[in-house]
Amino acid sequence: MRKTTLLAAAALLGSPGLTLAQNTPEENNDNVDAPFVRNIRADRPGQTITAQVLRAGRFQLEAGTQRVAPALGESMLNSGATLRIGFFNSMELRVSQPHFSGYQQRISTGEGERFETVAGWAPLVVGSKFMISPNYDTRTQVAIMVETPLPGTGSKELAVKGLAPSGRLLVSQQLGERYGLEANFGFSQPGMTVADIEKGQFIGTLALNGPISSTTGFFIEGYGIGRGELSTGTTAGLYWRPLPLLRLDVNAGRVLGGAAGGTATVGAGLAFKLGK
């Protein structure tokens, strides 16, 4: 009798433990089906990059074009694409390459400095995102991103001689079921030496995005870039999702302060995801 009672008690106490042990963090997460989690999120447009890290086996291609019109001087057209690949261990690999048309390049000569208009492919930029938050669907998502352009890639006129690393802390906070705040804080430098650190620039951004309807939404951000003199600006845009894994956007922005104050931007792009 005593043996039977002990076995029955063990069965009753053990069953819930076994059931919970079989559940994954996602299955126990009531946020897993929130539209902010399930809808496609892009690292474009603007300066803000989302803290979302793609799951292993997922691919996301983002491409766009933007016209930059400074207060003084000629306009420039920027185009480019970013391929994001989800890997195991909560990591995402990234490959980007911009194309500039009408880029004003500063050239140092024995008589001083002059500007020359060039066009071509900028260096290939490679990087990774590393997820810090406990799982993919938590309401607060945190990640670290590191990137650098690769020497010897791109057009000869725009090539770099060495690595120029940059890093960002990415934070995303879900508001309700659909809205979200995205914040970035980072630093970039033009090389790998101690002297290059002194030439580095900080960046800080804060963006709000959310729905207008079931397939349309908005994006607005403010940002600051610089070190001694800070360039500040804002970008706003609208997006449309004709398919769950396809997002199209139009955007416009303006540099409000700093050396490039008065510069206006207008652009459009898309983001497309493969994988469940």
Side-chain angles (χ1 to χ4, degrees):
M1 180 67 180
R2 182 179 180 184
K3 184 177 180 180
T4 304
T5 303
L6 290 174
L7 290 174
L12 289 172
L13 294 173
S15 297
L18 292 173
T19 302
L20 290 175
Q22 292 174 350
N23 286 351
T24 65
E26 182 175 292
E27 290 171 332
N28 291 328
N29 185 2
D30 58 3
N31 195 52
V32 67
D33 292 320
F36 183 76
V37 170
R38 287 305 180 198
N39 290 340
I40 182 172
R41 290 160 61 190
D43 285 350
R44 55 157 295 108
Q47 303 293 329
T48 305
I49 294 175
T50 176
Q52 182 193 50
V53 174
L54 295 181
R55 294 173 183 270
R58 295 185 181 180
F59 298 80
Q60 189 160 311
L61 178 64
E62 303 176 12
T65 185
Q66 183 182 68
R67 178 164 292 278
V68 180
L72 298 174
E74 299 181 359
S75 298
M76 175 177 64
L77 187 66
N78 300 340
S79 302
T82 299
L83 176 62
R84 301 168 54 191
I85 306 170
F87 270 74
F88 297 99
N89 298 322
S90 305
M91 181 178 69
E92 173 187 309
L93 298 185
R94 304 161 49 81
V95 180
S96 305
Q97 189 164 34
H99 183 276
F100 295 132
S101 179
Y103 178 73
Q104 296 293 311
Q105 186 178 54
R106 179 182 295 175
I107 299 176
S108 298
T109 65
E111 300 177 353
E113 293 184 340
R114 63 183 176 85
F115 287 89
E116 182 178 294
T117 302
V118 298
W121 290 99
L124 195 71
V125 179
V126 297
S128 296
K129 278 185 188 178
F130 302 92
M131 188 173 75
I132 299 177
S133 42
N135 63 65
Y136 290 94
D137 302 323
T138 184
R139 294 181 65 87
T140 301
Q141 298 175 4
V142 183
I144 292 176
M145 187 186 77
V146 292
E147 286 187 318
T148 184
L150 294 181
T153 60
S155 302
K156 180 180 179 180
E157 297 82 1
L158 299 172
V160 295
K161 297 180 180 180
L163 298 176
S166 65
R168 296 195 194 194
L169 174 67
L170 315 172
V171 181
S172 171
Q173 178 60 53
Q174 182 180 328
L175 306 175
E177 293 294 311
R178 298 174 178 271
Y179 293 87
L181 279 175
E182 305 270 7
N184 293 179
F185 181 76
F187 183 78
S188 62
Q189 60 186 60
M192 299 293 289
T193 68
V194 175
D196 292 322
I197 297 177
E198 298 177 354
K199 302 174 185 177
Q201 293 190 331
F202 294 94
I203 181 170
T205 77
L206 181 63
L208 173 67
N209 60 80
I212 297 175
S213 69
S214 59
T215 58
T216 61
F218 72 92
F219 162 96
I220 185 169
E221 75 167 352
Y223 61 86
I225 303 173
R227 193 181 182 97
E229 182 181 10
L230 195 65
S231 295
T232 59
T234 184
T235 310
L238 299 173
Y239 63 83
W240 172 48
R241 291 191 313 275
L243 299 171
L245 300 183
L246 174 65
R247 188 175 107 163
L248 308 175
D249 71 75
V250 293
N251 60 86
R254 190 172 186 85
V255 180
L256 303 176
T263 299
T265 64
V266 61
L270 62 86
F272 179 71
K273 182 187 289 186
L274 291 175
K276 295 182 179 179

